[in-house]
């Protein structure tokens, strides 16, 4: 049997979950998703243009525009239903636009001061995504990647594994999320995204800053294009 690539899970995870995503991500991370997104936004200063890859329903996109009200943001996502939700929620912001594209085939006729991506890295091939990001980034600009990680501390790991067992049972009450709660923990255990993206960023000469968050259950990597 051919092993599925992480990207193959994207339609299963996201085709039927857009309407409940904001609530589910807040509840299932015990509000940590908001804390993590604040850590991403903290990295932004006075950027004029931001590309938010895998913007989903626009949670991070909205936090960015709230921090830098005059910023021009483009949100990109592969799943149309998530983009529709984002458009509906953020309709009042004239400086936000949305594009339906695969981040691994990114093709925008513009370079940005910053590229953000929350929960995208594990689905993509680091070499492909970073190369695309660099092609769309101004010199001095930053790529900020954030995603889940499998904690290294053994005690935290036990708690983490137990928590996903509970989520498995919770999945019976939220059928659209059942398969996500089954496949996501496996994917997080298997991914080596932090190391892979660090190596790729180094290879392309980016200056790297990395921060582990909430007992290493998620990580942020910032790569700055210095030349
Ligand atoms: C868990 S959601 C995260 C949404 C948002 N970044 C957030 O943090 O709330 C993951 C999103 O990644 C999108 N996605 C996955 N692979 C993608 C790709 N190759 N290109 C663009 N979007 C992708 C999915 O459609 C989904 O909307």
């Amino acid at each position: 049997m051919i092993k599925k690539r992480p990207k193959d899970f994207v339609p299963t995870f996201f085709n039927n979950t857009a309407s409940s995503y904001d609530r589910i991500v807040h509840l299932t991370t015990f509000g940590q998703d908001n804390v993590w997104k604040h850590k991403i936004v903290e990295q932004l200063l006075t950027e004029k243009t931001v590309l938010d890859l895998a913007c989903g329903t626009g949670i991070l996109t909205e936090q960015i525009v709230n921090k830098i009200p005059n910023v021009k943001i483009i949100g990109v996502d592969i799943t149309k239903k998530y983009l529709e939700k984002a458009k509906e929620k953020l309709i009042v912001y004239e400086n936000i636009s949305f594009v339906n594209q695969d981040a691994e085939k990114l093709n925008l006729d513009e370079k940005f001061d910053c590229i953000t991506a929350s929960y995208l890295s594990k689905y993509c091939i680091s070499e492909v995504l970073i190369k695309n990001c660099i092609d769309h980034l101004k010199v001095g600009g930053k790529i900020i990647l954030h995603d889940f990680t499998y904690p290294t501390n053994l005690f935290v790991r036990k708690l983490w594994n137990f928590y996903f067992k509970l989520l498995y049972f919770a999945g019976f009450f939220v059928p659209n999320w059942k398969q996500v709660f089954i496949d996501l923990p496996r994917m997080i255990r298997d991914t080596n995204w932090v190391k892979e993206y660090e190596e790729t960023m180094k290879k392309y000469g980016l200056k790297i800053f990395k921060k582990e968050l909430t007992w290493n259950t998620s990580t942020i990597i910032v790569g700055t294009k210095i030349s």
Side-chain angles (χ1 to χ4, degrees), residues 7 10-11 13-14 21-22 25 33 37 40 52-61 76-80 82-83 101-105 117-120 122-124 129 146 148 177:
K7 193 172 188 169
V10 170
F13 283 10
F14 301 113
Y21 176 78
D22 291 15
V25 76
D33 177 65
K37 285 186 170 54
I40 299 173
D52 185 24
L53 291 180
C55 64
T57 59
I59 301 177
L60 176 62
T61 327
V76 166
D77 204 283
I78 201 170
T79 310
K80 284 194 177 138
Y82 270 69
L83 274 184
Q101 266 189 27
D102 178 346
E104 290 190 307
K105 294 178 188 156
S118 182
Y119 306 122
L120 172 68
K122 65 182 171 306
Y123 300 111
C124 293
L129 187 65
H146 162 255
F148 291 116
W177 287 92

Side-chain angles (χ1 to χ4, degrees), residues 17-77:
T17 51
S19 60
S20 51
Y21 176 78
D22 291 15
R23 234 174 315 129
I24 290 286
V25 76
H26 182 71
L27 286 174
T28 54
T29 63
F30 302 105
Q32 288 303 297
D33 177 65
N34 200 33
V35 175
W36 298 335
K37 285 186 170 54
H38 269 110
K39 295 283 175 198
I40 299 173
V41 175
E42 263 176 21
Q43 301 294 324
L44 295 164
L45 301 165
T46 54
E47 281 76 1
K48 291 193 170 63
T49 53
V50 174
L51 178 64
D52 185 24
L53 291 180
C55 64
T57 59
I59 301 177
L60 176 62
T61 327
E62 187 168 20
Q63 291 195 8
I64 295 170
V65 81
N66 284 339
K67 167 143 184 191
I68 316 174
N70 294 325
V71 72
K72 182 189 161 210
I73 310 187
I74 299 184
V76 166
D77 204 283

Side-chain angles (χ1 to χ4, degrees), residues 190-220:
D190 288 350
T191 183
N192 211 2
W193 76 268
V194 175
K195 189 164 173 276
E196 287 166 11
Y197 281 83
E198 250 187 307
E199 282 171 3
T200 310
M201 282 183 175
K202 264 187 206 148
K203 181 180 142 188
Y204 284 103
L206 301 182
K207 197 178 113 207
I208 299 169
F209 162 80
K210 185 176 81 174
K211 193 166 175 52
E212 291 163 0
L213 305 169
T214 322
W215 304 318
N216 195 17
T217 52
S218 85
T219 297
I220 289 185

Side-chain angles (χ1 to χ4, degrees), residues 1-199:
M1 202 172 74
I2 302 169
K3 194 173 181 269
K4 276 174 130 183
R5 298 164 309 158
K7 193 172 188 169
D8 298 330
F9 288 89
V10 170
T12 320
F13 283 10
F14 301 113
N15 277 352
N16 291 308
T17 51
S19 60
S20 51
Y21 176 78
D22 291 15
R23 234 174 315 129
I24 290 286
V25 76
H26 182 71
L27 286 174
T28 54
T29 63
F30 302 105
Q32 288 303 297
D33 177 65
N34 200 33
V35 175
W36 298 335
K37 285 186 170 54
H38 269 110
K39 295 283 175 198
I40 299 173
V41 175
E42 263 176 21
Q43 301 294 324
L44 295 164
L45 301 165
T46 54
E47 281 76 1
K48 291 193 170 63
T49 53
V50 174
L51 178 64
D52 185 24
L53 291 180
C55 64
T57 59
I59 301 177
L60 176 62
T61 327
E62 187 168 20
Q63 291 195 8
I64 295 170
V65 81
N66 284 339
K67 167 143 184 191
I68 316 174
N70 294 325
V71 72
K72 182 189 161 210
I73 310 187
I74 299 184
V76 166
D77 204 283
I78 201 170
T79 310
K80 284 194 177 138
K81 284 182 184 160
Y82 270 69
L83 274 184
E84 280 162 18
K85 186 81 192 164
K87 278 183 197 164
E88 183 191 310
K89 274 170 58 186
L90 307 184
I91 195 158
V92 292
Y93 299 100
E94 285 174 3
N95 45 340
I96 304 179
S97 54
F98 295 98
V99 177
N100 181 216
Q101 266 189 27
D102 178 346
E104 290 190 307
K105 294 178 188 156
L106 194 63
N107 186 12
L108 302 172
D109 199 16
E110 193 177 342
K111 286 188 192 270
F112 297 83
D113 295 316
C114 183
I115 301 178
T116 53
S118 182
Y119 306 122
L120 172 68
S121 314
K122 65 182 171 306
Y123 300 111
C124 293
I125 297 168
S126 62
E127 180 72 33
V128 179
L129 187 65
I130 293 300
K131 177 77 178 59
N132 274 333
C133 286
I134 287 172
D135 290 346
H136 287 82
L137 194 66
K138 292 182 192 166
V139 173
K142 289 175 191 164
I143 303 170
I144 309 175
L145 302 180
H146 162 255
D147 211 329
F148 291 116
T149 37
Y150 189 40
T152 39
N153 177 285
L154 284 185
F155 176 69
V156 181
R157 260 190 190 187
K158 277 198 186 345
L159 275 180
W160 190 98
N161 286 322
F162 177 67
Y163 178 56
F164 269 101
K165 281 204 178 99
L166 292 181
L167 277 187
Y168 169 82
F169 290 107
F172 288 95
F173 300 96
V174 270
N176 289 357
W177 287 92
K178 188 166 180 263
Q179 202 54 43
V180 179
F181 296 159
I182 293 170
D183 292 324
L184 185 63
R186 282 193 212 131
M187 196 183 288
I188 299 170
R189 275 188 214 106
D190 288 350
T191 183
N192 211 2
W193 76 268
V194 175
K195 189 164 173 276
E196 287 166 11
Y197 281 83
E198 250 187 307
E199 282 171 3

